[in-house]
Amino acid sequence: MSEAVEYDVLVLGGGPAGENVVDRVRAAGLSAALVESELVGGECSYWACVPSKALLRPALARADARKVPGLADAVRGPLDAAAVLAHRDYWTSNWKDDGGRDWLASIGVDLYRGHGRLYGIRKIAVTSPEGEHTVLSARQAVVVATGTRALLPDLPGLAGARPWTSREATSAGQAPERLLIVGGSVVAVEMATAWQALGSRVTLLVRGARLLPRMEPFAGELVAEALREAGAVVRTGVDVEAVVRDGATGPVTVVLTGGETLEGDELLMATGRVPRTEDIGLDTVGLEPGGWIAVDESCRVSGTDWLYAVGDVNHRALLTHQGKYQARIAGAAIAARAAGAATGADEGRWGPYAATADTAAVPQVVFTDPEAAAVGLTAAEAERAGHRVRAVDYDLARVSGAGLYADGYAGRARMVVDLDREVLLGATFVGPGTAELVHAATVAVVGEVPIARLWHAVPAFPTMSEIWLRLLETYRDADGAS
């Protein structure tokens, strides 16, 4: 290999987290290079958030329209699957990253395409698709942002059955007639919603007792009810023991515990994620290949003064927006520490650069029909953490804004209140159109806004945001009755 090419900051992985790191350090005047083995923009842009929402939006819009008087009869027909898939392809730029590449060039970041591996302290070795080898060296920091990949369980016959993962589920060119989905979390329920709407007959096989196990129980219950109403089969408490594919293109059969078999045309395994760290040179810096990377609040790897890990790979919060948040924190910390080193300043002064929102105020939206949106702790999580709490529930259908949104509106909201401090620890909203409610809840949780102060945040009439007033009234009435 030739002499190392030197930059202030090196970033391994060009998804949203990696992009945000280079953006932040370049804004601070540091030089940067980014190493990416696939497409600039990463999983989110091409195989996850963006294509899945492009598939889901027509399904949700049709579901909403079917509940609006004067419009319902006009949308009784099927979705135009070809148009929906073309819309998805547009939003993934047909799986080309010219835009991402041009953006990096516009902010002065050099892109190295190929497989990157840590090569000892402050170095990355890159092997290009053509087999050329380049060593990059960092004056200040190296950031690992390689994300995760789908976890496929060790089931007999699974590898030979060529199952879908989230990548195939979001990029498929046509709807399978029969789609079996194993899993009950976000990928499983969102893809069940999308492909059922696009014409597949979906069967959802869930090992646990309910869908969306990390949210309030009513979220999974309402989503399961809606999937069944749409025609999907939802089975909980079942285990898959083996998988068989009939030939190269034939149907796939899953074998359940007890010997029952189910047949489909495609099988989606939505059974979790694992870090993409098995072959990135962690062993060259004393870390274990294949595992999650432990970091401090500034996303710096424990025991180092130069290595950072942002996004899914550090296992703090496996969500794109949280990875981007971490990247902004890490980029600011790197820039501040570089400035501190240059002036001889004490590094401790840069303590405010901390990713505190990864632990108690993580927002998430599940784009099913109905949508499920939540932030912070569930009631059960808050109690396990030792808080004295009250869970306040309200039927969203009783809010005027929801009733105007759709006939027969069904939904539910909950806020979790810390009784000792009278601030919100968490909130959950389930129902059509609730995704836009979660940021207000996030502000309340992050800002630790006192309940007494929330009374003065007046919701506009008639909107679904009136749910805040109803929740506060319910909390007040319960307090008066106790």
Side-chain angles (χ1 to χ4, degrees), residues 359-383:
T359 54
V362 176
Q364 181 177 15
V365 178
V366 184
F367 292 89
T368 45
D369 174 32
E371 291 174 337
V375 64
L377 303 177
T378 64
E381 288 170 339
E383 289 176 349

Side-chain angles (χ1 to χ4, degrees), residues 45 48-60 79 83-92 170 191 194 198 367:
S45 297
C49 319
V50 172
S52 67
K53 303 317 167 280
L55 292 172
L56 284 159
R57 179 58 192 151
L60 301 186
L79 292 174
V84 173
L85 296 176
H87 176 66
R88 184 269 320 269
D89 294 350
Y90 168 80
W91 277 98
T92 59
T170 56
M191 290 299 93
L198 286 167
F367 292 89

